[in-house]
Amino acid sequence: MLAEALGDGGGRIERFRRDGWAPAWPVGVEMLCYMLAHEAHHRGQVCMLAHQMGSPLPYEASDGIWNWERIWKECGARGPEYGA
């Protein structure tokens, strides 16, 4: 999606919606920043919930939440460069 939206070829994605109620935003840095912040928000939710339940995640788990390449390999997937 990012490659199509941000590519030099003038992708077909011109605007994106954060949700059904929010106004559309232009594709570009705004979209990328929103996607990163949204991902970080969910990572924080997972870590905080584990902590609140009395089982804080070990460093390897909390740090590994974003290590998608390793996660794909451990699950036997080939990764996005191969179409997962």
Side-chain angles (χ1 to χ4, degrees), residues 43-44 46-48 50 56-67 70-71:
R43 179 181 181 212
V46 169
C47 294
M48 184 167 49
L57 297 175
Y59 174 78
E60 296 79 21
S62 62
D63 186 55
I65 289 176
W66 272 0
N67 194 341
R70 190 186 79 228
I71 293 170

Side-chain angles (χ1 to χ4, degrees), residues 40-80:
H41 163 73
H42 286 297
R43 179 181 181 212
Q45 285 181 317
V46 169
C47 294
M48 184 167 49
L49 183 59
H51 180 78
Q52 288 174 339
M53 294 178 66
S55 300
L57 297 175
Y59 174 78
E60 296 79 21
S62 62
D63 186 55
I65 289 176
W66 272 0
N67 194 341
W68 295 113
E69 290 82 6
R70 190 186 79 228
I71 293 170
W72 285 319
K73 288 177 185 175
E74 288 175 357
C75 293
R78 296 187 313 175

Side-chain angles (χ1 to χ4, degrees), residues 6 16 18 25-37:
L6 303 175
F16 83 101
R18 296 164 286 147
W25 281 2
V27 170
V29 175
E30 296 89 350
M31 181 179 73
L32 179 60
C33 290
Y34 175 80
M35 292 172 76
L36 291 172

